[in-house]
Amino acid sequence: MKRPGKRWTIDNWPIATKLIVVYSLLISGTISTVGIVSYYYYSLSMENQIKAYIPQLLSQTSRHLDTYQGELLYVTRTALAKQNIAAIRRALKQADSDGEPGPLPLRTAILLNDAIRQLNIEQREYVRGVTLYTRESGAFYYQIGDGGVWLDQRNSRKESWYPEVDETNPVPVIYGTEALKDSPGSPAVFKIVQPIRGQDSQNVVGFLEVDGSLQLINTMLLDVNFGPDTRLFVLDHHDRLMYAKGDRSVVAGEAWKGDFGLNGGDWSRSGSSRFVSIGGVRHLVSYTKSDQTGWKVIAVIPAEYLTKGVSKVKWWTISGIAAGTTVAVIAAILLAYSMTRRLRLLVVSLRGLEKNDFQMPIPPMRTDEVGRVWGAISKMAGRIHVLINEVYQSKILKQEAEIRSLQSQINPHFLNNSLETLRYLVKSGRAESAEQGLIALADLFRYHAVRDHEMVSLAVEMAFMKNYLHMQKLRFGDQLHIEYDIDDAALSAYLPGLLFQPLVENAIIHGSSPFGMIAVTIRIKANDGQLMISVIDEGSGIPPKKLNEIWSDLEAESGQSGSVGLLNVYRRLRLIYKEEGEMYIRSEPHNGTIVTLKIPLKFDYGEGLTR
């Protein structure tokens, strides 16, 4: 038998519950799997498209920046035009010849100024200024809108871009981003340097530095917006910052520090995208690199602005799974209860069988398995009803016969002892005592013969018990001492006849003290709806081991340990009172034994009771 704690295991679930769980898990599991897989591949596809799309947009921006650099290079090509290079050479030659420390002569300054103005830089908004470096004397800086100024402390060999110049191959040097030295607080510029050769030799006689305005880059990228909190960076070919948007902690001209996991090794690719976590927030880091200029455009975009559509699909997927699961559960409940309705009706009918109600309802007119089972059970219930009635009547007859047999067990040995005692009295000349004994014995057997029913009042039973003890007193004489402790209220209670007579007999037989005295007390109390009958002796008691054997025999309903009288009483208690009848045995070595019977207290005659 399973323990009560396991009754809610799956095996014990109702069929309807099992069907509901199975169908719900099957349908909702399918819906959930399809929804999750679809969402996963959709979100993965969207992310891959976004990762490919953002670099494409950045590539368009990079092409505009390539155009910007090309415009700056166009200024250097203009300077090498025949009419312009001649004027520049004359101005540089004159500046070197007049290049003493101090102010530059006016005519030389005019030559330098005119040579620069011939390049039409005033019409080029992407040019911030132009500087002409002489070979030895200094440099003339011309700023758009402010005119030119002579810088006698400047030396081309001390400029940061000079190490990149190859005087044997005087091609333009694209230096990159740097702050202006002579304009404190001015923004950084992008520099391109063009070496100037002499007319009659290949020697470099000066340098033309074109300073590109980074403000134009800001204008070009102003409309590039991927959402709030987006950061945008432009790096030159030396990985110096030309432009930064959305991050005030960086300054133009600074070297790139490998932020967001982008370093020199990543620039080998033309462009890529990847998702990274920045401050616990997921961002898409995308960049593109120009094959022409080597410039990089980097965009750092919060993923939530790019995946808004994916988020909506996510919530729609969750809502769809929830709705589908709800519908699946409801459908499973309806389907399960529809399939098990007749089984539940059959279970309700079977519960009547548990209560011994064998009148089952007429089975539904169905030919399926449930209908056939119902019909078979209905026929079986009718047959069981007949068999139970037969067995019940047979059991009652058998029980009554067994009770009568138990009652009659006192006759043989008691009659033998009584007759032997009477013979002894007659032989010893005690005729009067023998006569009283015969009268008591006659009353005893008259009680046994004329009592037609099981239950008697305690008063009648005690009258019998006193006759019985009178016979025992004749046998044992002054050796036997009897004491009664009986509630008067208990005398009108009813109990089975001869119920505790075997206990009194056992007490007399086994209750002899070491001094040869036999002291027996009959105590009967009525309390809390129970009738307590105790038979007490003062004998040598029952050893614990022997007492355990007696209890084992009583439970097994055998008299192997010699406790036939106790077995008689115990079996009658079980047959008549079932679980309501109890027997207790308490014994201590050398202190005696107490046997107590506990039965329900009854004050009415009941059916067939003897007054």
Side-chain angles (χ1 to χ4, degrees):
M1 181 180 292
K2 293 186 178 180
R3 292 180 294 176
K6 295 185 177 181
R7 60 185 175 182
W8 292 112
T9 57
I10 295 178
D11 291 339
N12 295 328
W13 287 3
I15 295 178
T17 302
K18 293 179 181 178
L19 290 175
I20 291 172
V21 172
V22 171
Y23 287 147
S24 299
L25 291 178
L26 182 62
I27 300 175
S28 61
T30 302
I31 294 174
S32 300
T33 302
V34 172
I36 292 172
V37 171
S38 299
Y39 168 74
Y40 171 77
Y41 282 106
Y42 173 77
S43 60
L44 184 64
S45 174
M46 287 295 295
E47 288 186 358
N48 289 336
Q49 291 181 19
I50 291 171
K51 288 166 67 176
Y53 177 67
I54 297 300
Q56 292 178 6
L57 294 179
L58 297 180
S59 296
Q60 296 178 6
T61 302
S62 180
R63 285 194 289 271
H64 291 298
L65 295 176
D66 291 346
T67 302
Y68 165 73
Q69 189 189 97
E71 293 290 345
L72 294 178
L73 288 172
Y74 180 75
V75 174
T76 63
R77 290 195 293 271
T78 301
L80 297 179
K82 185 175 181 181
Q83 65 276 15
N84 295 331
I85 190 65
I88 291 174
R89 287 169 179 165
R90 285 196 303 271
L92 291 175
K93 183 177 180 181
Q94 186 62 40
D96 269 336
S97 62
D98 296 337
E100 295 296 331
L104 192 68
L106 179 59
R107 64 183 182 84
T108 305
I110 292 174
L111 284 176
L112 291 169
N113 190 72
D114 289 343
I116 292 174
R117 289 178 62 86
Q118 287 181 8
L119 302 178
N120 296 322
I121 60 175
E122 297 285 353
Q123 300 178 6
R124 305 184 188 277
E125 59 179 357
Y126 45 83
V127 178
R128 179 176 178 81
V130 174
T131 303
L132 269 177
Y133 287 87
T134 67
R135 191 64 178 174
E136 304 292 343
S137 301
F140 186 80
Y141 175 66
Y142 183 88
Q143 183 175 353
I144 304 299
D146 293 336
V149 58
W150 174 252
L151 305 173
D152 59 347
Q153 301 299 323
R154 299 283 284 275
N155 188 323
S156 60
R157 293 182 177 85
K158 297 180 179 181
E159 293 298 316
S160 56
W161 44 260
Y162 185 77
E164 299 185 21
V165 174
D166 183 5
E167 294 193 8
T168 61
N169 183 26
V171 296
V173 175
I174 302 174
Y175 175 68
T177 308
E178 188 179 59
L180 292 174
K181 294 182 179 181
D182 302 297
S183 301
S186 297
V189 295
F190 183 77
K191 294 186 177 184
I192 296 180
V193 179
Q194 173 65 58
I196 305 296
R197 293 188 178 192
Q199 181 177 2
D200 299 326
S201 68
Q202 296 299 318
N203 296 329
V204 175
V205 297
F207 300 92
L208 176 69
E209 177 189 293
V210 180
D211 299 334
S213 173
L214 298 183
Q215 182 62 34
L216 181 62
I217 296 178
N218 182 66
T219 302
M220 293 169 60
L221 300 179
L222 189 62
D223 295 332
V224 179
N225 185 11
F226 296 105
D229 301 326
T230 296
R231 283 173 277 185
L232 198 64
F233 306 93
V234 177
L235 308 182
D236 62 19
H237 57 293
H238 290 302
D239 292 347
R240 288 191 288 264
L241 280 164
M242 299 176 64
Y243 172 80
K245 177 182 179 181
D247 193 342
R248 298 182 179 181
S249 63
V250 296
V251 180
E254 288 184 349
W256 181 254
K257 300 177 182 179
D259 296 335
F260 316 115
L262 296 176
N263 49 46
D266 289 315
W267 308 134
S268 59
R269 291 170 288 178
S270 60
S272 69
S273 295
R274 64 171 175 261
F275 285 96
V276 299
S277 178
I278 303 174
V281 180
R282 195 164 181 253
H283 287 69
L284 177 68
V285 177
S286 298
Y287 79 93
T288 185
K289 177 182 178 182
S290 172
D291 295 331
Q292 178 179 337
T293 63
W295 290 4
K296 301 94 180 174
V297 182
I298 303 171
V300 182
I301 311 167
E304 60 177 317
Y305 301 116
L306 298 173
T307 59
K308 286 183 177 180
V310 176
S311 298
K312 290 182 179 179
V313 172
K314 174 184 176 180
W315 288 113
W316 276 110
T317 301
I318 294 174
S319 300
I321 292 175
T325 301
T326 302
V327 172
V329 171
I330 294 174
I333 292 173
L334 295 176
L335 180 61
Y337 275 93
S338 174
M339 293 176 63
T340 61
R341 182 177 61 85
R342 285 183 293 135
L343 283 176
R344 285 182 282 111
L345 293 175
L346 179 58
V347 169
V348 172
S349 299
L350 291 176
R351 287 175 182 169
L353 294 180
E354 295 176 359
K355 300 177 182 179
N356 297 326
D357 181 8
F358 297 95
Q359 301 300 320
M360 291 193 62
I362 299 175
M365 298 301 295
R366 301 277 185 174
T367 57
D368 58 4
E369 291 81 354
V370 177
R372 294 175 182 175
V373 169
W374 195 317
I377 292 177
S378 180
K379 294 178 181 179
M380 182 183 66
R383 181 59 180 162
I384 290 174
H385 181 54
V386 174
L387 292 175
I388 285 179
N389 287 334
E390 294 176 354
V391 172
Y392 184 69
Q393 294 298 327
S394 174
K395 184 177 181 181
I396 291 176
L397 294 174
K398 181 180 179 182
Q399 181 172 311
E400 290 179 350
E402 187 173 0
I403 292 174
R404 292 295 182 186
S405 174
L406 291 171
Q407 290 176 353
S408 66
Q409 287 179 11
I410 71 168
N411 294 330
H413 66 275
F414 175 70
L415 178 61
N416 181 65
N417 291 335
S418 297
L419 292 176
E420 185 64 27
T421 300
L422 292 174
R423 185 184 71 81
Y424 172 76
L425 290 174
V426 172
K427 186 176 181 180
S428 62
R430 299 166 61 185
E432 185 178 351
S433 296
E435 181 182 4
Q436 292 176 356
L438 285 171
I439 294 172
L441 183 60
D443 287 340
L444 286 177
F445 280 97
R446 185 182 302 110
Y447 171 80
H448 190 272
V450 302
R451 189 175 56 83
D452 297 327
H453 303 287
E454 176 67 20
M455 306 298 288
V456 297
S457 67
L458 180 60
V460 173
E461 185 70 8
M462 286 307 301
F464 161 80
M465 187 58 63
K466 289 179 180 179
N467 285 326
Y468 170 76
L469 291 172
H470 179 75
M471 293 300 301
Q472 296 288 13
K473 187 74 172 175
L474 291 175
R475 177 184 177 189
F476 292 98
D478 293 337
Q479 183 185 359
L480 176 62
H481 176 72
I482 305 296
E483 182 178 344
Y484 299 97
D485 182 10
I486 303 174
D487 286 347
D488 292 338
L491 292 174
S492 58
Y494 285 83
L495 73 164
L498 306 179
L499 178 64
F500 61 94
Q501 182 272 338
L503 304 181
V504 176
E505 185 175 3
N506 278 352
I508 293 172
I509 295 173
H510 303 289
S512 178
S513 69
F515 304 102
M517 298 298 295
I518 303 174
V520 177
T521 301
I522 300 175
R523 180 179 297 154
I524 303 177
K525 303 291 182 180
N527 187 26
D528 294 332
Q530 300 291 329
L531 185 65
M532 308 290 291
I533 304 171
S534 299
V535 178
I536 308 167
D537 68 64
E538 298 179 5
S540 59
I542 306 174
K545 182 178 180 181
K546 179 64 175 180
L547 185 58
N548 289 333
E549 292 177 359
I550 290 174
W551 274 116
S552 298
D553 291 343
L554 293 178
E555 294 295 334
E557 295 190 357
S558 68
Q560 294 179 4
S561 63
S563 55
V564 177
L566 289 175
L567 179 60
N568 184 313
V569 175
Y570 185 77
R571 292 180 65 185
R572 290 186 69 197
L573 280 178
R574 290 302 183 197
L575 288 170
I576 297 171
Y577 292 106
K578 309 302 181 188
E579 299 299 327
E580 292 183 318
E582 301 177 12
M583 183 169 74
Y584 306 95
I585 303 175
R586 187 175 65 185
S587 183
E588 297 182 5
H590 312 296
N591 288 325
T593 302
I594 301 175
V595 180
T596 301
L597 304 180
K598 181 180 178 182
I599 62 176
L601 184 60
K602 303 291 185 180
F603 289 105
D604 54 344
Y605 295 110
E607 181 181 356
L609 294 182
T610 302
R611 295 183 182 271

